[in-house]
Amino acid sequence: MSSQIRNQLLERISSGDLAPGARMPSERELSERFEVARTSVREAMQGLVSMRVVERRGNRSYVAEHLPEVVVEPSGDGKSFVAELFETRRVLELPIFEMAAERATDEERAKIAAVAARFHPSLDIGEFRRLDREFHTTVASACGNPLLIELYGKVLDQLFRSVEFFTLLSAESNQAEVARIVADSCAAHLHIAEAFSARDAAAVRSSTKHHLDAVEQSMVDDLD
C-alpha cells in the first residue's frame, strides 16, 4: 500500500501537479484521501524523501526544489511576451524532448502514449490546457535529468499562469481560432507520441518544433 501511495504522489510531482517547492499534503489529508492508516502514508513519504524528490522542512514536507524561482516580467505587449515564452520553450524543449526520446523506458513511452490518447478535438480550453501541461511534463520527465526537468517546469509555469496567455485564449472574439488550435494541437501531440513509440529522436524533435511554431504563429498572428 505504501508503494502505491508513493507512486501516485510521484506521478503528481512528475506531472507538475505538485510543483517544485510546493508543500506536500499532510499525513492526515493523505490518510483520508487514500483511506489508509498514517503508517502507510509515513512510509510512502519516507520513500519520496529517500528518492530526494521530497524534503523535510521542520515538521512539513515539500517537493524538492534545487533552482530559484523563475520570475519573468513582460517587456512589451501581451503578444510579445507570449512570443518570448515560446522562444524560451524551443530552446529548452527541443533538446529535452530529443534526450527523453533517446532515454525513455518502455514504461515511460507507454505513459506518454496513454496521455496523448486522451486528447480529442472536442476538449474545452480548460481541459485541454490541463492535459497539455501533463503531456509536455510527462515527456520531459523521461529525459532523466532532474535539474532540466525542474527548469523546464518553471518555464511552463510562466507560460500557463501568465495573464497575457489567458487573455488571448479566453477572449470571446478568439474562440473559433482557439478551437482550431486545440484540434491541431491534439493531432500534434499524437504525432509526437508516435515518434516516441518508434524511438525516433529526430522525429520527436522535428514534430515538437513544428507544434510549437504552429501554436505560436496562431496565437501571435491570428488571435486578437
Side-chain angles (χ1 to χ4, degrees):
M1 182 60 68
S2 62
S3 296
Q4 294 177 25
I5 297 170
R6 182 195 64 208
N7 290 340
Q8 288 191 44
L9 291 174
L10 185 59
E11 185 170 339
R12 290 187 63 190
I13 293 170
S14 298
S15 69
D17 184 35
L18 288 170
R23 192 171 74 175
M24 294 292 293
S26 68
E27 286 186 3
R28 178 180 178 181
E29 291 175 279
L30 293 173
S31 178
E32 293 175 352
R33 181 180 305 170
F34 291 106
E35 298 181 340
V36 297
R38 288 198 185 187
T39 52
S40 296
V41 171
R42 199 167 295 125
E43 290 175 7
M45 292 296 294
Q46 185 55 51
L48 293 173
V49 171
S50 299
M51 295 168 67
R52 298 179 64 188
V53 296
V54 167
E55 59 187 18
R56 304 284 192 188
R57 299 178 193 170
N59 61 350
R60 297 308 305 262
S61 299
Y62 295 80
V63 179
E65 185 173 29
H66 305 287
L67 299 172
E69 184 180 1
V70 174
V71 179
V72 181
E73 294 295 334
S75 58
D77 60 26
K79 287 191 175 183
S80 296
F81 183 56
V82 169
E84 290 171 1
L85 286 170
F86 270 95
E87 185 174 59
T88 305
R89 280 186 69 179
R90 271 191 294 272
V91 170
L92 289 173
E93 194 163 309
L94 298 184
I96 288 175
F97 276 32
E98 187 174 19
M99 191 183 302
E102 294 169 347
R103 298 178 177 179
T105 65
D106 290 341
E107 182 180 357
E108 288 170 331
R109 293 180 203 278
K111 184 181 295 186
I112 290 166
V115 176
R118 288 158 54 194
F119 284 98
H120 55 85
S122 62
L123 288 172
D124 66 39
I125 188 60
E127 292 172 317
F128 171 78
R129 291 186 70 192
R130 286 190 291 273
L131 189 56
D132 185 46
R133 172 67 186 267
E134 181 180 351
F135 176 79
H136 285 270
T137 305
T138 300
V139 172
S141 67
C143 81
N145 185 316
L147 290 180
L148 282 176
I149 294 169
E150 182 177 338
L151 177 60
Y152 177 66
K154 290 177 181 294
V155 170
L156 284 189
D157 282 342
Q158 289 294 312
L159 178 66
F160 280 85
R161 295 177 183 176
S162 71
V163 174
E164 295 80 6
F165 196 70
F166 175 79
T167 299
L168 288 172
L169 293 176
S170 61
E172 187 64 31
S173 59
N174 289 333
Q175 292 314 295
E177 184 61 26
V178 167
R180 186 191 64 77
I181 292 173
V182 168
D184 289 349
S185 295
C186 289
H189 290 137
L190 287 173
H191 285 305
I192 295 170
E194 288 168 0
F196 258 93
S197 296
R199 300 175 184 272
D200 190 338
V204 167
R205 185 184 183 107
S206 176
S207 297
T208 303
K209 183 178 186 304
H210 178 76
H211 169 48
L212 293 178
D213 288 349
V215 175
E216 180 188 0
Q217 182 177 358
S218 294
M219 292 195 67
V220 173
D221 295 342
D222 301 331
L223 300 188
D224 298 326

